Amino acid sequence: MTDTAKPRIEEVARVAGVSKSTVSRVINGEQYVSARARNAVHEAIAQLGYSPNQAARSLAGNRANAIALVVSEQGSRVLSDPFFASVLRGVHAELTGRRIQLLLMMSQPADNIDLVAYLSGGHVDGALLVSLHGADPLVAMLTGIRLPVVACGRPLGGSVPFVDADNFNGGLEAGRHLVSLGRRRVATIAGPRDMAVGMDRLSGWRRAMSEARLADDLVQEADFTPESGARAMASLLEREPELDAVFVAADIMALGALQVLHARGLRVPSDVAIVGFDDSVLASTATPPLTTVRQDVEQLGRTMTWRLLAELAGEPDLPPSLLLPTSLVHRASA
Amino acid sequence: MTDTAKPRIEEVARVAGVSKSTVSRVINGEQYVSARARNAVHEAIAQLGYSPNQAARSLAGNRANAIALVVSEQGSRVLSDPFFASVLRGVHAELTGRRIQLLLMMSQPADNIDLVAYLSGGHVDGALLVSLHGADPLVAMLTGIRLPVVACGRPLGGSVPFVDADNFNGGLEAGRHLVSLGRRRVATIAGPRDMAVGMDRLSGWRRAMSEARLADDLVQEADFTPESGARAMASLLEREPELDAVFVAADIMALGALQVLHARGLRVPSDVAIVGFDDSVLASTATPPLTTVRQDVEQLGRTMTWRLLAELAGEPDLPPSLLLPTSLVHRASA
DNA sequence: GGGCCCGCAGAAAGCGATCTCGGAAACTGT
DNA sequence: ACAGTTTCCGAGATCGCTTTCTGCGGGCCC
């Protein structure tokens, strides 16, 4: 009954009684095709169950119809992060409907050269950069080959278009909230110095402290793991046993901090109030549930993708970078 | 200095002083190429920074050089799961080095037909199926188009090759451990009835109970979310306030269960011992840290990929399915 | 009514690889 | 020395599309 071989454009053309060119025009939604022809083609496509061969399209059309999601993973930690999962979901959401494939690529610093060679090989039309650290040489290499690129989060080095949450404002709100609770000895567990996320949230917190004329010296750096969060908390407590609030720049680090506080018999929030960042699933399941700065990570993924596709489509006057709003989610921990 | 246009195979051939055919042979590692020619080609490639055009390769070679990772996502919950992230990492690890791309595809039941059309369109050489529920129609549709496929976890319906953790054994070990602790009223929060993971772990637990001649009636189903875990725990406590142990079929559900226990003033492990499953990051950061059944999820991803590639390579006598070992990780909760 | 523009459609030339053929060396064995 | 292999190499067709480029009607203007 059904043909075993998958139909080609030629076949569709024959069935529709038009030429290959016309079928191609219909598929690509070009103008100058009569309604009659268009319908005939659509019917033929449906009848044959035709689906165009991507490889041929890319080859002939001189574009890949694919974008890469480049995960710059130091220690491959990134992927375990729910953050990444949400970005991915957003990216995918924005991509559905358009015939664009998502290629997943991970870069170890070691094979950056291979990566760049591949990306410059015309295999993808653009790239989304996730989890850049410091002045990642990748950024420079990529801008060098003039491949359209959008970064997830403000990169510290280079100047690529990026989309990010309004981290400064998030830190500011977190700090203000803790202050409004009457806390006077407020600490922060910041992100690593080599990532803008960390620095921006820290700046926001600092601003809040200075607004309230409080000291902003209780800063401890950590690296977005629960363990580092625990260590940072311990060291803060050592420096200032009397601290009564902490802004932790990521929920996942807040978990570690919580453990340490529990272990020392300090109660949250009565002894120490905690505000996290991300509003990940971790925040709502923690004990106690974390008050945290919500960022819409899925929206972040969507916006990045939108920005990249817009650039690919040649839209003029695109903003180089975009900041997404954050908001404080009130739960039990502060 | 450097040529702006990216070099083609023709260019490489010219520089190396051989024909396109020979360059192609070298690139694809075929035999019957002299060492002299091989070296010349390699040098030319390095000198020109040549990277073959995937689209052209796929078109001419009649294979896609790509595999799809199909995430069957009801409510897109899957992606947030660290489990998925680890699988992904494993898949990617196995893929590096070979020139094979990973396409990420998500399927809503609604557009299964589109998905299948795409997959059968020769755009990918095979597919990895993640997070199948019950007798997902996707499986049948996919086997129908004879696309090589490997599932992540035993699918309930259909009969596709799959790789899975030894869930039965994991449940068994968990149950035995609780029994060995002297617990006599052991409950379980199982996975959903329509997923083999859940059922297999449950069977293992049942086996352990019967070995110890204990009742196996305290079973409550949940759906791999913290909230459902909490609800299940609450309902178990209602049915049997005296229960002294719970095997929770996923760490993420165990978090919910823990919250409920905390809320009721029950202490873990003294009042109620808990064993989770997965050994995800959640397990070690929970309060108290969870004793859990470890499965090497990354290895799972690698094994799936290996199995799929082996099939694509036409290797004979491949085992239809593979079970990966599990082991109990002792922490504070049991 | 002749020239033009406009809307539409088909023929054919690529896109950049792979792969089939057939031929030419280089080795065999006798 | 000669036929028969085995190893190596190149010419050219081919993959399934997109994209010019050209052509053809028909309405409009003058």
Side-chain angles (χ1 to χ4, degrees), chain B residues 170-186:
Chain B
L172 180 60
E173 282 191 85
R176 280 181 180 162
H177 177 66
L178 291 170
V179 169
S180 78
L181 258 30
R183 310 292 165 145
R184 287 295 170 266
R185 200 60 180 116
V186 184

Side-chain angles (χ1 to χ4, degrees), chain B:
Chain B
M1 201 62 71
T2 48
D3 248 326
T4 47
K6 58 189 183 235
R8 293 170 283 187
I9 197 173
E10 191 109 38
E11 192 82 352
V12 176
R14 231 198 43 228
V15 171
V18 298
S19 72
K20 288 193 304 174
S21 315
T22 300
V23 175
S24 176
R25 287 192 188 96
V26 171
I27 289 173
N28 294 293
E30 283 170 34
Q31 52 177 358
Y32 299 146
V33 178
S34 66
R36 230 176 61 79
R38 195 179 303 276
N39 289 338
V41 170
H42 278 138
E43 265 174 43
I45 288 179
Q47 182 189 324
L48 296 170
Y50 170 76
S51 152
N53 179 312
Q54 280 300 336
R57 298 189 80 197
S58 304
L59 182 56
N62 198 29
R63 70 190 118 67
N65 300 309
I67 65 175
L69 186 73
V70 178
V71 180
S72 171
E73 53 155 1
Q74 64 305 330
S76 79
R77 205 171 342 98
V78 195
L79 280 185
S80 314
D81 198 332
F83 174 87
F84 174 76
S86 297
V87 171
L88 195 53
R89 212 160 55 224
V91 170
H92 196 274
E94 193 69 21
L95 242 32
T96 52
R98 328 179 181 236
R99 290 169 172 275
I100 296 181
Q101 289 316 304
L102 215 212
L103 295 197
L104 209 62
M105 324 207 58
M106 299 181 202
S107 80
Q108 279 92 1
D111 53 30
N112 264 355
I113 297 114
D114 289 347
L115 216 207
V116 172
Y118 184 87
L119 289 178
S120 67
H123 308 309
V124 298
D125 301 319
L128 262 17
L129 265 36
V130 177
S131 172
L132 293 170
H133 259 247
D136 196 316
L138 195 59
V139 178
M141 298 172 87
L142 250 28
T143 54
I145 61 175
R146 46 188 82 268
L147 182 80
V149 150
V150 175
C152 174
R154 182 166 77 83
L156 272 182
S159 61
V160 237
F162 67 88
V163 180
D164 205 345
D166 192 344
N167 290 308
F168 176 86
N169 192 58
L172 180 60
E173 282 191 85
R176 280 181 180 162
H177 177 66
L178 291 170
V179 169
S180 78
L181 258 30
R183 310 292 165 145
R184 287 295 170 266
R185 200 60 180 116
V186 184
T188 187
I189 297 178
R193 187 183 307 281
D194 66 349
M195 290 183 76
V197 241
M199 293 303 96
D200 293 349
R201 291 172 191 177
L202 178 57
S203 305
W205 173 85
R206 281 225 153 88
R207 180 73 208 283
M209 293 306 106
S210 92
E211 280 179 357
R213 310 194 180 282
L214 293 176
D216 65 352
D217 59 319
L218 284 179
V219 177
Q220 192 69 39
E221 217 177 289
D223 68 1
F224 288 136
T225 60
E227 296 76 26
S228 73
R231 279 194 302 275
M233 190 70 243
S235 111
L236 284 171
L237 283 171
E238 197 145 315
R239 282 162 59 187
E240 177 55 273
E242 300 297 308
L243 64 81
D244 56 6
V246 197
F247 163 51
V248 189
D251 289 342
I252 193 153
M253 296 195 291
L255 290 186
L258 273 177
Q259 277 192 313
V260 169
L261 291 172
H262 281 309
R264 312 261 161 125
L266 291 167
R267 319 226 355 178
V268 177
S270 44
D271 296 327
V272 178
I274 290 199
V275 174
F277 205 113
D278 286 344
D279 193 24
S280 66
V281 64
L282 304 170
S284 47
T285 59
T287 349
L290 286 176
T291 291
T292 188
V293 178
R294 172 167 166 67
Q295 59 170 332
D296 190 336
V297 183
E298 190 168 330
Q299 182 60 46
L300 205 162
R302 299 168 71 121
T303 308
M304 291 171 62
T305 311
W306 167 81
R307 173 66 176 70
L308 182 61
L309 294 182
E311 184 167 343
L312 293 181
E315 280 182 31
D317 305 324
L318 286 172
S321 59
L322 295 156
L323 285 188
L324 269 29
T326 57
S327 63
L328 198 65
V329 176
H330 298 266
R331 294 212 183 81
S333 74

Side-chain angles (χ1 to χ4, degrees), chain A residues 66-67 100 125-127 147-148 306-315 318:
Chain A
I67 63 174
I100 296 181
D125 301 321
L147 182 80
W306 167 81
R307 173 64 175 70
L308 181 62
L309 294 182
E311 185 168 342
L312 293 182
E315 280 182 29
L318 286 171

